[in-house]
Amino acid sequence: MSEYRIEVDSMGEVQVPANAYYSAQTQRAVENFPISGWELPIPLIRAMGRVKLACAIANHDLGKLTGSGKTRLSEEQVAAMKSACHEVIDGKMDGEFPIDVFQTGSGTSSNMNVNEVISNRAIEILGGDRFSKSKPIHPNDHVNMGQSTNDTFPTAIHVATAVEIETKLIPMLKRFHESLQEKASKWDRVIKIGRTHLMDATPLRLGQEFGGFARQIELSIERAKQALKGVLELPVGGTAVGSGINTHPEFGARVAKALADQTGIPFIEAVNHFEANAQRDGLVESHGQIKAIAMTLFNLSNNIRWLGSGPRCGFYEVILPDRQPGSSIMPGKVNPVMCESMMQLTARVMGNDTTMTLCGASGGNFQLNIMMPVMGHAMLESIMLLTNGVGAFIEFCMDGLEANPEACEASVEQSLSMVTSLNPHIGYEKAAKLTKEAFASGKTIRELCLEQNVLPKETLDEALDPFTMTEPQA
């Protein structure tokens, strides 16, 4: 059997791998864009399958795919086309989408890639010859009916983004919140010193510190929900420039409903198709929320890294689980590898936000944004990195993370900031003087106060009780 077959499009003949389900336009794009080796993200490919299925349903219900006429199909052909869409959605055709991310800015190459695969697979399902030059189910006339790349490709980006946020990122953030909340409750009685400006501050409880971390993730969950809201309006129905040429007036609304039914996510037709075709503001807004989540995760993991520093010359207030040897030269050294992994991946997400902003600002010229494939790639990469990064952090760091009460409590008595609780008794100026004396002498605040009989012992013990310093007192 030959390694290639000959396919024909409007530009002439082209060699296509013999068994590929795609055809000439896909192959031309493969040859034109040997850029990065990065194919479109799988969630975006599957979302395109969802969009094509929803379009087939809408066209069928509107009477556009059945009956007489050149672009009409029988019920059996429609069913085959839907089955082929389901195979794309289910991942059975993942190997059929070889086009590089850095392609035509509208995503036309990838849209036609999907159209060709669905067309050829549907023909095969019906028992026909998918290699035949005549296409009883045509990639343009039937699979792409009522559509343009300019409205269906951004629709697929929105659908993929929403599905990944709803089914992966939000559930993972909820797991993280539960893990942090569990630690906060478990460590509520562990007293430690606070730090502001990286300097000693007043005491708090380790559980309170982790409760703050838990609240950060609770807010991140809300930001993820806001990110999802930013992509609920779908451009489909606008076709080439937003006017809806060559499609039914109800098409966009019906496709949005079909996609909502498929996913359980409340997609709606765009309020204004000219805006929806031309601009990707909603996508930029959505990624902005993803960036904020990344910033939170960077900060949180870096704080845990600092808390685990040591074991003898750092804070060592929490004990990080040993994951792997930490040095090629220092035997026995163990590093905070999961924290460092999280910090790196969140830095990548923050970099992706710059890409999203630039593409949204400069790529939307008149009736079309021409930076969409890289925007889709950046968005879905960011969601994937955060989802997988948080999952690994929970499993390999949080689940084995332990408190070190001895280290926490040892630093409290040594802290000069303990003097803060004496302010109501002796005033700020005298307290500041005690602090300087304690630092110069190497004595604790308690020792110095006892030597100088600053307060009666009972009053002093009450004032310097670190637990009472961790919450307001009436």
Side-chain angles (χ1 to χ4, degrees), residues 74-327:
S74 68
E75 291 290 339
E76 291 76 16
Q77 288 174 308
V78 174
M81 195 161 72
K82 291 179 180 178
S83 293
C85 289
H86 277 292
E87 291 188 6
V88 174
I89 296 166
D90 294 340
K92 295 178 180 178
M93 308 298 284
D94 284 353
E96 295 295 324
F97 304 98
I99 301 173
D100 201 274
V101 166
F102 301 101
Q103 54 172 279
T104 175
S106 61
T108 299
S109 299
S110 287
N111 182 46
M112 280 308 303
N113 187 178
V114 174
N115 289 338
E116 289 174 346
V117 168
I118 291 171
S119 166
N120 285 332
R121 178 61 185 136
I123 292 168
E124 186 177 63
I125 289 170
L126 288 171
D129 180 8
R130 63 184 171 96
F131 300 137
S132 171
K133 290 183 181 180
S134 64
K135 300 289 184 184
I137 299 176
H138 196 276
N140 296 83
D141 294 338
H142 302 127
V143 183
N144 203 60
M145 179 182 283
Q147 308 154 53
S148 164
T149 298
N150 300 354
D151 65 342
T152 56
F153 192 74
T155 293
I157 296 174
H158 282 216
V159 170
T161 298
V163 168
E164 294 300 291
I165 291 173
E166 175 75 12
T167 64
K168 296 181 181 177
L169 181 58
I170 290 176
M172 191 62 75
L173 289 173
K174 287 180 177 178
R175 276 186 56 200
F176 196 18
H177 177 257
E178 291 169 4
S179 177
L180 288 163
Q181 197 62 57
E182 179 186 339
K183 300 295 187 188
S185 299
K186 183 178 178 181
W187 300 335
D188 187 54
R189 307 297 295 184
V190 178
I191 306 291
K192 57 158 287 179
I193 202 66
R195 297 179 183 88
T196 58
H197 303 270
L198 289 180
M199 308 300 284
D200 300 345
T202 56
L204 75 159
R205 305 195 294 274
L206 187 61
Q208 291 174 318
E209 192 162 39
F210 272 75
F213 296 160
R215 176 59 176 160
Q216 284 185 279
I217 299 305
E218 188 175 28
L219 291 170
S220 291
I221 294 168
E222 295 305 311
R223 292 186 181 106
K225 291 177 180 178
Q226 285 299 121
L228 193 152
K229 289 180 181 178
V231 293
L232 292 181
E233 282 194 33
L234 302 181
V236 66
T239 63
V241 298
S243 65
I245 187 173
N246 286 357
T247 201
H248 193 281
E250 297 178 20
F251 183 72
R254 286 176 178 266
V255 171
K257 183 181 183 306
L259 287 165
D261 291 343
Q262 284 182 44
T263 62
I265 297 171
F267 293 114
I268 59 171
E269 181 182 12
V271 172
N272 183 295
H273 281 289
F274 295 97
E275 181 277 332
N277 264 45
Q279 308 303 332
R280 300 274 61 83
D281 296 359
L283 202 62
V284 173
E285 175 194 359
S286 180
H287 197 278
Q289 299 288 352
I290 299 298
K291 179 197 71 174
I293 296 170
M295 180 196 68
T296 292
L297 292 169
F298 185 104
N299 171 264
L300 191 158
S301 57
N302 195 29
N303 274 323
I304 291 176
R305 182 176 74 102
W306 275 104
L307 290 175
S309 62
R312 291 190 174 179
C313 301
F315 298 134
Y316 204 47
E317 293 175 348
V318 297
I319 303 171
L320 298 167
D322 294 348
R323 294 306 313 170
Q324 62 190 59
S327 174

Side-chain angles (χ1 to χ4, degrees), residues 424-437:
H425 300 278
I426 63 175
Y428 183 91
E429 296 297 336
K430 189 171 183 179
K433 183 179 178 182
L434 279 171
T435 301
K436 291 179 181 179
E437 287 184 46

